[in-house]
Amino acid sequence: MPKKEAGPPERRALGSVYYSAAHDSWCAEINLGLDSRGKRKTIKRYFKGSEKDRKVQKKAEAKLAELIADSGRGALVNPQSITVAEWLDQHLKRWNSKLANTSKKENDRLARIITEKIGRIQLQAIQPYHIQQVIDDSEKFAHRSRMKILQLLRRAFAEAVSLEVISKNPAANIRAPRAPRAEGKTGIAWTREEVQKFLEVAREYRLYPLYCLAFSIGARIGEIQALKIDDLNLQDGTLNIQRSVSGRDDKTYPLQISGGKTEAARRKVRLPEDVKPILAAWLFRLEEDRKAAGPQWNEEGWLFPSMNGKLLRYIPFWQNFQIVLKRSGIRTGTIHDMRRTFITLAIRSGVLPEVVAKIVGHSSVRITLEEYRRVQDDELENAAVTLTGLLG
């Protein structure tokens, strides 16, 4: 019967297999000699199971034989030397390869927050209280960011467990940070009358067709910026949304063009009939702009370019939006409120929420209803009228 112990004995041969009560696992351990400080270097692989489980013991013995063979070939890397920062870097190189640029950038930001706290700690030495410290110290960040930090840690350490670098996931049982009490939905949805007032003023400006499209299909402003002329098919009345622009072209938020926020964001939408002639007239206007600019025109193929053909930047568009908003006299709102307005008015008009979610590129109808749909004042008034007489 193997001797139960909390750790390896003081002296071992090239390698050994023993049961670790502390980890509730069988351990295959190989001795790599001494480091420059005279400290013993070892590699351990843990196999979850009871002390009496001979199948698990045999797995550990097979792993030890594999480690010894790898050591003889010089193919063995000591995972004890890997820090959390190094492991996160390796993990994200694998994980980010399948993500859009915006998601890669966000993961890198979260990794920097983590490595500032625990990046220098060796991966095999990390404990749950280290993870809890990271979550506790990130209170200054939004709840969504704190949740993403925990998700990244769980995923990175789960990969380390699957690759047998560590035996347990130290982030697995960390309680998710509690969300702050909701103070109501942010943003507004303009009424149909307010939209008409806005568009009446916007008609005087070059980007009037862009505003019409935004209110007609509820696309994100970054998606509209990234539209190409080839994405528009007026013959069959469809628009292909395959890209998105993020950032504001400054040092804080550099400009990036990616393949869409999510898989659901890459979609084909059917255009309402009343927006088709507006877009047809816009294509004619583009030809006039191209001729007027002459050699200064940059042929990049954007559907809504700047006056010289280059990508429309966010800040000039935002400035025009503010002018139109102020002149129209409607409630103050944001560019993203055009998206909320479309969703609210579309659902009010009888379009099924799941259909609206598809049109705007939401991955879940829950997002459409819980985060974007707004109850408007006249709906409450109509409800009161409808409910009159309910008591008999």
Side-chain angles (χ1 to χ4, degrees):
M1 176 71 66
K3 182 181 179 182
K4 181 182 278 190
E5 49 184 310
E10 288 300 317
R11 305 182 71 181
R12 290 194 181 277
L14 179 61
S16 60
V17 171
Y18 61 92
Y19 184 76
S20 171
H23 294 87
D24 191 25
S25 303
W26 281 92
C27 178
E29 179 184 303
I30 185 171
N31 187 355
L32 300 178
L34 302 178
D35 61 18
S36 58
R37 296 173 295 177
K39 188 176 179 180
R40 189 176 61 172
K41 297 186 296 182
T42 61
I43 291 179
K44 300 177 183 178
R45 295 289 188 268
Y46 291 94
F47 297 84
K48 196 76 173 176
S50 69
E51 185 179 3
K52 296 180 179 180
D53 195 329
R54 294 292 164 253
K55 288 185 178 180
V56 176
Q57 181 184 358
K58 288 186 179 297
K59 285 183 180 180
E61 291 170 349
K63 173 56 69 172
L64 177 61
E66 181 183 326
L67 291 173
I68 293 173
D70 287 344
S71 177
R73 295 195 304 269
L76 202 56
V77 178
N78 183 8
Q80 289 185 322
S81 63
I82 301 176
T83 64
V84 172
E86 291 169 340
W87 182 257
L88 278 177
D89 183 63
Q90 293 179 27
H91 170 73
L92 288 180
K93 283 180 180 177
R94 291 185 286 269
W95 184 262
N96 282 347
S97 62
K98 53 189 175 183
L99 300 180
N101 286 335
T102 51
S103 298
K104 292 178 184 177
K105 184 178 177 182
E106 175 66 0
N107 280 337
D108 291 340
R109 180 183 75 89
L110 299 173
R112 286 195 296 271
I113 295 172
I114 295 169
T115 53
E116 284 178 4
K117 298 294 181 183
I118 59 173
R120 296 183 180 181
I121 301 176
Q122 289 184 341
L123 186 64
Q124 290 193 345
I126 204 74
Q127 295 295 324
Y129 67 82
H130 292 126
I131 310 301
Q132 191 64 61
Q133 182 183 19
V134 173
I135 301 302
D136 292 344
D137 290 349
S138 63
E139 285 186 345
K140 62 181 180 180
F141 299 103
H143 176 259
R144 188 175 181 181
S145 291
R146 299 179 73 201
M147 287 297 297
K148 286 182 178 180
I149 289 171
L150 181 56
Q151 289 167 3
L152 173 55
L153 285 167
R154 284 175 174 169
R155 191 177 65 234
F157 289 128
E159 184 184 44
V161 171
S162 67
L163 295 176
E164 301 178 0
V165 179
I166 57 177
S167 60
K168 292 182 179 179
N169 186 336
N173 295 321
I174 299 298
R175 180 177 294 180
R178 181 175 296 179
R181 180 170 294 180
E183 297 180 358
K185 297 178 179 179
T186 59
I188 63 170
W190 289 296
T191 64
R192 191 179 297 273
E193 292 73 21
E194 286 176 310
V195 172
Q196 291 172 352
K197 288 181 180 179
F198 181 95
L199 291 178
E200 277 301 314
V201 175
R203 192 184 295 271
E204 303 174 22
Y205 295 89
R206 178 175 178 268
L207 294 177
Y208 168 69
L210 185 155
Y211 292 121
C212 290
L213 184 64
F215 279 119
S216 297
I217 64 171
R220 303 170 178 90
I221 182 55
E223 294 172 338
I224 295 178
Q225 284 177 275
L227 286 172
K228 297 267 191 174
I229 294 175
D230 292 342
D231 295 327
L232 176 63
N233 188 330
L234 288 177
Q235 188 171 0
D236 66 2
T238 58
L239 185 69
N240 250 329
I241 300 176
Q242 300 296 323
R243 295 169 298 279
S244 182
V245 175
S246 62
R248 301 178 184 178
D249 202 21
D250 57 27
K251 292 181 179 179
T252 307
Y253 301 103
L255 197 68
Q256 291 193 15
I257 301 175
S258 64
K261 188 176 180 181
T262 62
E263 184 65 33
R266 295 183 282 277
R267 61 201 187 277
K268 178 183 284 190
V269 298
R270 188 161 293 279
L271 298 169
E273 289 298 323
D274 55 355
V275 81
K276 292 180 187 178
I278 296 174
L279 293 176
W282 170 249
L283 293 179
F284 179 80
R285 168 67 185 270
L286 278 184
E287 286 296 325
E288 296 298 313
D289 288 349
R290 184 182 292 107
K291 293 175 183 178
Q296 302 300 318
W297 182 264
N298 297 271
E299 191 56 69
E300 297 180 358
W302 304 114
L303 181 58
F304 295 105
S306 60
M307 289 295 294
N308 62 1
K310 285 184 171 292
L311 178 72
L312 177 66
R313 298 305 202 250
Y314 178 86
I315 292 177
F317 172 68
W318 177 84
Q319 291 170 337
N320 181 256
F321 172 81
Q322 292 298 320
I323 292 171
V324 176
L325 188 64
K326 187 174 182 180
R327 284 191 56 200
S328 67
I330 66 175
R331 288 174 293 162
T332 300
T334 67
I335 288 174
H336 204 62
D337 286 331
M338 290 192 289
R339 182 169 168 85
R340 294 187 180 94
T341 298
F342 166 79
I343 290 171
T344 298
L345 295 181
I347 293 175
R348 287 198 62 182
S349 298
V351 182
L352 293 174
E354 53 267 35
V355 176
V356 175
K358 287 284 186 181
I359 294 172
V360 299
H362 282 158
S363 57
S364 167
V365 70
R366 182 190 63 79
I367 300 173
T368 308
L369 290 172
E370 294 184 8
E371 298 186 22
Y372 282 83
R373 168 69 161 107
R374 299 293 183 269
V375 176
Q376 298 183 315
D377 291 342
D378 65 312
E379 289 183 279
L380 296 174
E381 294 171 4
N382 294 336
V385 173
T386 302
L387 294 173
T388 299
L390 190 66
L391 301 180

